[in-house]
Amino acid sequence: MPKLIKSFKSHSWPFLLLLPTLIPLTVFWLYPLLKTFYISFTDWNYISPDYDYVQFDNYQGLVTDSFFLKVLLNTFVFTFFTVVPPIIIGIFGAVLLNKIKAVRNFFVASIFSSWITPTVVVSMVWVSIFDKDTGIVNAILSKFGVERIGWLAGETTAMLVVIIVTIWRYAGLSILLLTSSMAQLDPDVEKANSLDGGRGFRKLFRITLPAISPILIFLLVLFTLDSLKAYDQIYILTQGGPSGATSTILYYFYVLAFEWYETGPASALAMIFLVICLLISAINYMVTKMTFKN
């Protein structure tokens, strides 16, 4: 019996140490997740105390809804055009800043402010920049004879503005991390490569990019997941309009749950969104594993 008690204490001690983490994880993540999964099979409207089981009707309704398909397409278009450009900007910005080392830290700190500034504040500034009547963009274009454009009122231009704002925000973090990574590269390797004739783009693709590939993968995943859950800039700039042209999955979830009170379909949408995020995480794991293996 004493041995059994001793064995129990020795095996239970690690779980006791994990309790401070497991309790909030269960209360604030696992339970809401299971509750959302359950609600996704009901017609609960956020107000009524009754939960009527509707099987897969919410999922079927979303899949056959043309607006949901439009939102899904918007999400992937928005994600693609806000993930790749900031990384490219970060690469060339880092290369440039590492050549002007005297003022590198000043420029990096200035550029990084775009990432740490709250998205709501940034979006409000950009609303004034792209305003049709008083915005600086139209003021500049009018000097070249271009008529004033309602940037936030057109379906194509509204999405373009949201993408530009998001790229500007991501570029700060991208430049900071890539500048730091490139600064830590072994100078002897770069010097040996230069002696072998590796200069310019050849040096960039043969030496620099493979060496900083873990940071590139990290930025790729971070920006992808952040773009998928974009909400603040869309709400401030366009509120999903015009005609749903800038609505993404998370914004559509907000509309379903808190404006239309269709909590069942909103929960189904949340579960679909979770599956998309898990797939992206799985792809990231495989790509990362292959990268480090090579």
Side-chain angles (χ1 to χ4, degrees):
M1 191 69 178
K3 290 184 178 180
L4 182 62
I5 294 175
K6 185 177 181 180
S7 176
F8 174 76
K9 288 182 177 180
S10 62
H11 286 86
S12 63
W13 182 244
F15 292 99
L16 292 175
L17 293 176
L18 288 173
L19 275 180
T21 302
L22 291 176
I23 291 175
L25 184 67
T26 302
V27 173
F28 297 108
W29 188 83
L30 184 59
Y31 172 74
L33 176 63
L34 296 176
K35 185 73 172 182
T36 302
F37 181 69
Y38 167 71
I39 294 174
S40 70
F41 293 99
T42 70
D43 64 350
W44 188 49
N45 62 2
Y46 192 72
I47 299 175
S48 172
D50 299 324
Y51 293 78
D52 293 328
Y53 184 65
V54 295
Q55 298 183 354
F56 290 93
D57 289 357
N58 291 327
Y59 291 93
Q60 185 177 357
L62 284 174
V63 173
T64 57
D65 182 14
S66 60
F67 187 76
F68 168 72
L69 298 178
K70 181 178 182 178
V71 165
L72 196 62
L73 178 61
N74 288 343
T75 302
F76 288 126
V77 169
F78 172 79
T79 301
F80 177 80
F81 285 105
T82 54
V83 170
V84 178
I87 294 177
I88 296 175
I89 292 171
I91 291 171
F92 289 101
V95 170
L96 178 62
L97 288 173
N98 276 304
K99 291 183 180 296
I100 49 174
K101 298 181 180 180
V103 291
R104 180 179 63 194
N105 293 338
F106 170 76
F107 280 108
V108 169
S110 301
I111 295 170
F112 182 61
S113 62
S114 66
W115 176 258
I116 61 176
T117 304
T119 309
V120 173
V121 176
V122 170
S123 301
M124 292 178 68
V125 173
W126 281 96
V127 166
S128 63
I129 291 175
F130 282 99
D131 186 84
K132 182 178 180 180
D133 299 317
T134 61
I136 189 174
V137 174
N138 278 338
I140 294 173
L141 292 176
S142 63
K143 300 293 184 182
F144 297 94
V146 179
E147 294 184 3
R148 293 184 178 273
I149 301 172
W151 292 96
L152 301 176
E155 293 190 13
T156 304
T157 55
M159 177 60 83
L160 179 62
V161 170
V162 177
I163 289 173
I164 289 173
V165 173
T166 308
I167 290 174
W168 179 84
R169 180 171 174 266
Y170 290 170
L173 180 65
S174 180
I175 291 175
L176 172 71
L177 294 182
L178 293 176
T179 300
S180 176
S181 299
M182 290 184 186
Q184 295 175 12
L185 294 179
D186 189 350
D188 293 333
V189 175
E190 295 189 4
K191 189 177 296 183
N193 181 65
S194 299
L195 294 174
D196 290 338
R199 298 177 182 275
F201 282 102
R202 187 177 180 185
K203 172 187 172 183
L204 179 66
F205 286 102
R206 288 184 58 186
I207 300 296
T208 307
L209 294 185
I212 63 172
S213 58
I215 297 297
L216 293 175
I217 294 172
F218 169 75
L219 289 173
L220 180 66
V221 175
L222 176 65
F223 291 161
T224 300
L225 295 178
D226 197 74
S227 294
L228 285 172
K229 63 184 183 66
Y231 170 79
D232 294 350
Q233 63 267 50
I234 294 174
Y235 181 81
I236 298 297
L237 290 166
T238 63
Q239 294 188 345
S243 302
T246 57
S247 292
T248 57
I249 290 179
L250 197 61
Y251 187 84
Y252 188 40
F253 166 81
Y254 164 79
V255 172
L256 282 175
F258 303 109
E259 290 188 2
W260 298 349
Y261 297 107
E262 296 184 7
T263 315
S267 299
L269 181 61
M271 300 312 299
I272 293 173
F273 179 69
L274 175 63
V275 171
I276 292 174
C277 291
L278 290 175
L279 288 175
I280 291 175
S281 299
I283 293 171
N284 163 57
Y285 172 77
M286 291 186 291
V287 171
T288 303
K289 188 176 181 180
M290 291 174 59
T291 301
F292 281 103
K293 185 178 180 180
N294 293 332

